[in-house]
Amino acid sequence: MAIVAITREMGTLGKDVATGLGEALGLPVIYHEIIDHLADRMRVRRSHVVRLLDGKAGLLERLSADKTSLFLHSAEEVIDFARQGKGAIIRGWGATHLLHDVPHVICARVCAPFEVRTRRMMERLNTDDAAMVEAEIQGNDEAHTAIMRRHFGIKWTDPEHYDLVLNTKRVSVDECVDEVLNLARLPRFSETDQSRQRLEDLALAARVRAALRGSAETRGKNVDVSSESGRVTLSGAHLKTDERLALLEVVVGVPGVRDVIWRSRDPGESRLPVH
């Protein structure tokens, strides 16, 4: 089944495009479900999660929030929704970047010029206060940009990150839906054993990152995680033996891990045996 990941900015009609795709393909549009799951997992209010994502959280909310855990848990949720095998339209949550390396996932960006977005939001909010709307859009854009830079190290607006970029100043919502559907019909976006395995690898790596973050002994370790067919590779700066063993103890407890490799940023590689 088709998996489409969509990112959009406020006022671009990206939400409408996602809804249209869901109706055309008979698939759920995933967005609010992830908020609910995150609130439960992090034991915070749903509104707290929304305000953090929109860059509207107050000082006390920001101080009490673990933004790294929020990202890791949301990444795990996004990948799990994609793994369900039923197909989905996943809106936001960095899904276009988390799932970009999965061959059967279509990654699309919906955009529009700032002035067009401002006009649309003024109409939607039934206001003539252009300055207020512009400030709201700019704040939302800045929060999105900061999140993408922090967690992915990219300029998310660059077109090379997407299979399709749609400008709703010139292309209608229905035409945007048709363009994505045209891609979904191509054989290259069909799910295969190899593409499914890539998704499973991403899921396992996400579970390992979340587990390492959740352990007091490994929380502060700067470690990169990758996975291939159950073989997890950890890489980072040189660590002491007891620190590496602490990593091993956490990783081997994650379901699906069959082997662990430690690759130091120093030359050489060593295996952490899994018993």
Side-chain angles (χ1 to χ4, degrees), residues 15-224:
K15 182 178 178 180
D16 299 328
V17 173
T19 299
L21 279 168
E23 293 172 351
L25 293 169
L27 297 175
V29 178
I30 305 300
Y31 179 76
H32 295 290
E33 294 85 349
I34 296 177
I35 294 178
D36 294 336
H37 288 193
L38 283 175
D40 288 341
R41 292 183 67 170
M42 299 187 69
R43 298 181 181 179
V44 298
R45 293 181 178 179
R46 188 180 188 276
S47 60
H48 191 163
V49 175
V50 173
R51 288 171 63 80
L52 280 168
L53 293 169
D54 289 343
K56 299 177 182 177
L59 176 60
L60 290 178
E61 288 177 310
R62 294 196 303 273
L63 290 175
S64 65
D66 182 346
K67 292 183 180 180
T68 300
S69 291
L70 176 65
F71 168 74
L72 292 176
H73 289 319
S74 65
E76 194 175 357
E77 294 288 344
V78 165
I79 297 169
D80 279 344
F81 273 111
R83 289 176 64 233
Q84 291 178 5
K86 302 175 182 178
I89 314 300
I90 306 178
R91 179 167 65 88
W93 296 106
T96 51
H97 306 293
L98 289 166
L99 302 174
H100 186 264
D101 290 337
V102 180
H104 66 272
V105 175
I106 297 171
C107 297
R109 179 190 172 206
V110 181
C111 62
F114 186 82
E115 62 273 14
V116 173
R117 298 162 56 203
T118 301
R119 185 180 70 249
R120 287 173 178 166
M121 292 304 300
M122 290 176 66
E123 293 172 355
R124 182 177 302 174
L125 298 172
N126 192 27
T127 180
D128 58 2
D129 190 344
M132 179 273 290
V133 172
E134 289 175 354
E136 182 76 9
I137 293 174
Q138 288 173 342
N140 188 270
D141 287 354
E142 289 169 2
H144 191 178
T145 297
I147 290 171
M148 292 299 104
R149 184 185 303 116
R150 181 187 309 119
H151 297 300
F152 297 104
I154 62 170
K155 184 179 179 181
W156 72 275
T157 53
D158 287 344
E160 61 262 30
H161 300 305
Y162 308 97
D163 303 307
L164 191 63
V165 178
L166 301 160
N167 180 356
T168 56
K169 177 184 179 180
R170 297 176 57 85
V171 184
S172 72
V173 168
D174 288 343
E175 290 167 338
C176 289
V177 170
D178 287 341
E179 289 298 324
V180 178
L181 291 176
N182 287 336
L183 282 188
R185 297 186 186 105
L186 295 176
R188 75 189 67 171
F189 289 104
S190 297
E191 184 176 337
T192 65
D193 291 342
Q194 291 78 9
S195 69
R196 180 72 186 179
Q197 183 59 57
R198 180 58 184 148
L199 190 52
E200 294 296 330
D201 290 339
L202 291 176
L204 181 55
R207 291 197 298 273
V208 169
R209 292 188 193 99
L212 291 172
R213 183 68 182 180
S215 168
E217 293 187 355
T218 58
R219 177 184 295 260
K221 300 296 184 292
N222 183 16
V223 178
D224 295 324

Side-chain angles (χ1 to χ4, degrees), residues 236-249:
H238 179 73
L239 296 178
K240 298 177 181 177
T241 300
D242 58 339
E243 292 176 314
R244 291 166 57 187
L245 289 175
L247 293 171
L248 172 63
E249 184 175 355

